[in-house]
Amino acid sequence: MKLGLFNMPLHPPGRLHADTYDEDLELMALADELGYSEAWIGEHFTTEWENMPAPDLFIARALGVTKNLVMGTGVSLLAFHDPIMIAHRIAMLDHLARGRFFFGIGSGGVPTDSEMFQLDRQSGQQRNLMREAAELIVNMWTAEEPGKFHHRGEHYDVKLPSPRPEMGLSFHMRPYQQPHPPIAVAGSSPSSQTLEVAGELGWWPMSTFFLHSSNLPMHWEAYAKGASAAGRAVSRSQWRIAREIYVADNTEQAISDVMDGPPAHTFTNYFLPLLGQGLRGLDGIRTTPDVPDSALTPEYMLENFWIVGDPDACAEKIRQLYQDTGGFGTLLILCHDWGNDRAKGLRSLELLAKETLPQLEDLTPSH
């Protein structure tokens, strides 16, 4: 099992964007130094807490402060982009990274993003746009004769130009990784149609931290179902699961830090109102369907959801998560803005990598 980061990012509204970007770059450099395998950078347009509308720009900058960390868009919201532009930008980014890059994609779930782009989020329109755009992008990258490429779909009509070799004009921007970077898609609902599509098309599955461990096996079932229908083999080593994890030198201190710090604050002031507005719904974080909304508090999350404690306690909880899900390849740690207590967040990442992960070396998916 490997460790990675999921940097949404999360910064309280009102902070200067430039300062938060600098802090996130420092975080990437530290994760690289500690041996984390990958980092996924989120994309949103109208969320003040998640203040990166262009993760590809951040990744291009972060490549320069890291050496081994694989960077991924987590995720590019394809319904809000021109697929021709994204195909070129991502291919170029893959070259800048010399393959140290994963292409995470999604449809988008923030209602104000959808309103700004004038899309109907509830109808499934965005999911359909995402799928067609992703397939279009891959087909553009892999076209044997680009000059003859013409995609006529439900949402897009794209014809690549005929080459003019005498002037050096043609469609030429293919990715560094061949045939293309690994594609990953995030699922957040307990029974995810998106992950079924991912299995069908050979994309990697990613499970967000909005799901209780009891719901996670359904994600793998949906992914495996889609893969089986398409005759594709599956590997649990490709499955990424995101979690709220915090490690301190002792468990009492860890609990105090999260309950008085950004995990509890962010849950109360951002995630809970957002989920309650129907963005992703609250069902995924309930241990049983009869848990009332009023019970969904930081204390509930600490008891039932979050992985918090000293290095040994966190190792036990991660091992239990691995057993509950049947196994996965990479555990993604949610990144927070610790403000004046940044040292606590950085210390947690260090303890997780140096003292917790070595206890889990035997956790390797068998298939």
Side-chain angles (χ1 to χ4, degrees):
M1 189 188 72
K2 299 178 180 178
L3 291 178
L5 300 182
F6 180 31
N7 191 34
M8 299 181 67
L10 286 171
H11 297 291
R15 291 208 60 199
L16 182 66
H17 290 44
D19 290 342
T20 65
Y21 297 158
D22 282 346
E23 290 175 7
D24 289 332
L25 287 169
E26 292 173 7
L27 185 64
M28 297 301 110
L30 176 64
D32 187 53
E33 181 181 329
L34 291 172
Y36 282 73
S37 64
E38 59 197 52
W40 300 82
I41 312 302
E43 172 183 292
H44 283 298
F45 297 88
T46 59
T47 54
E48 295 182 70
W49 285 80
E50 302 177 59
N51 62 355
M52 281 191 194
D56 55 340
L57 290 179
F58 178 83
I59 290 171
R61 177 71 174 82
L63 290 169
V65 300
T66 56
K67 295 180 179 179
N68 299 303
L69 193 69
V70 181
M71 308 295 297
T73 52
V75 293
S76 294
L77 303 175
L78 296 187
F80 303 143
H81 295 283
D82 180 335
I84 300 174
M85 181 65 73
I86 284 290
H88 283 78
R89 291 176 68 93
I90 294 300
M92 178 178 170
L93 183 56
D94 195 35
H95 279 274
L96 288 170
R98 288 190 174 270
R100 190 157 50 99
F101 174 72
F102 298 146
F103 186 28
I105 63 172
S107 58
V110 174
T112 45
D113 282 357
S114 302
E115 291 172 18
M116 187 168 69
F117 286 95
Q118 299 182 31
L119 294 177
D120 182 359
R121 183 173 58 91
Q122 300 296 336
S123 69
Q125 178 188 20
Q126 288 178 207
R127 185 170 59 248
N128 295 335
L129 281 165
M130 178 203 73
R131 175 169 181 166
E132 185 177 338
E135 293 185 85
L136 167 57
I137 289 167
V138 169
N139 290 336
M140 290 172 61
W141 284 340
T142 58
E144 293 184 4
E145 297 184 77
K148 296 181 180 179
F149 180 88
H150 191 178
H151 170 91
R152 295 185 183 90
E154 180 181 356
H155 302 286
Y156 303 107
D157 188 341
V158 175
K159 184 176 182 180
L160 297 181
S162 298
R164 301 181 188 180
E166 70 279 5
M167 293 182 285
L169 302 179
S170 68
F171 172 81
H172 61 87
M173 202 66 226
R174 301 179 190 268
Y176 180 87
Q177 299 176 78
Q178 290 297 313
H180 55 77
I183 297 174
V185 63
S188 57
S189 61
S191 182
S192 177
Q193 291 181 330
T194 302
L195 290 188
E196 189 172 332
V197 171
E200 177 189 343
L201 298 178
W203 301 339
W204 291 352
M206 301 174 69
S207 297
T208 70
F209 57 91
F210 294 113
L211 287 175
H212 186 261
S213 58
S214 61
N215 289 314
L216 288 171
M218 289 190 287
H219 266 201
W220 183 254
E221 291 169 9
Y223 179 71
K225 177 182 177 182
S228 177
R232 295 182 182 273
V234 295
S235 172
R236 285 181 175 268
S237 64
Q238 297 175 345
W239 190 12
R240 273 84 176 153
I241 293 179
R243 271 296 175 266
E244 181 79 81
I245 302 177
Y246 181 77
V247 190
D249 292 287
N250 63 76
T251 295
E252 182 179 1
Q253 184 63 52
I255 293 173
S256 175
D257 288 347
V258 299
M259 297 306 287
D260 294 332
H265 177 75
T266 304
F267 178 77
T268 301
N269 295 287
Y270 181 47
F271 289 142
L272 195 57
L274 198 63
L275 293 169
Q277 289 298 313
L279 171 58
R280 296 182 178 92
L282 294 169
D283 291 345
I285 63 176
R286 303 181 202 275
T287 50
T288 59
D290 59 347
V291 174
D293 289 0
S294 59
L296 301 176
T297 63
E299 289 77 13
Y300 167 90
M301 298 299 287
L302 177 66
E303 181 178 353
N304 297 287
F305 215 103
W306 296 343
I307 296 174
V308 176
D310 64 26
D312 295 343
C314 287
E316 291 179 9
K317 293 177 181 180
I318 293 171
R319 185 176 293 277
Q320 187 63 54
L321 174 66
Y322 191 91
Q323 293 171 352
D324 290 344
T325 59
F328 53 89
T330 305
L331 182 63
L332 302 178
I333 291 82
L334 184 64
C335 300
H336 281 284
D337 183 332
W338 282 84
N340 294 328
D341 292 326
R342 286 194 72 217
K344 292 182 177 180
L346 300 180
R347 175 63 172 162
S348 174
L349 292 181
E350 180 181 7
L351 289 171
L352 185 59
K354 292 184 176 181
E355 298 190 22
T356 298
L357 184 62
Q359 301 183 48
L360 307 170
E361 291 180 347
D362 60 306
L363 300 186
T364 301
S366 59
H367 63 281

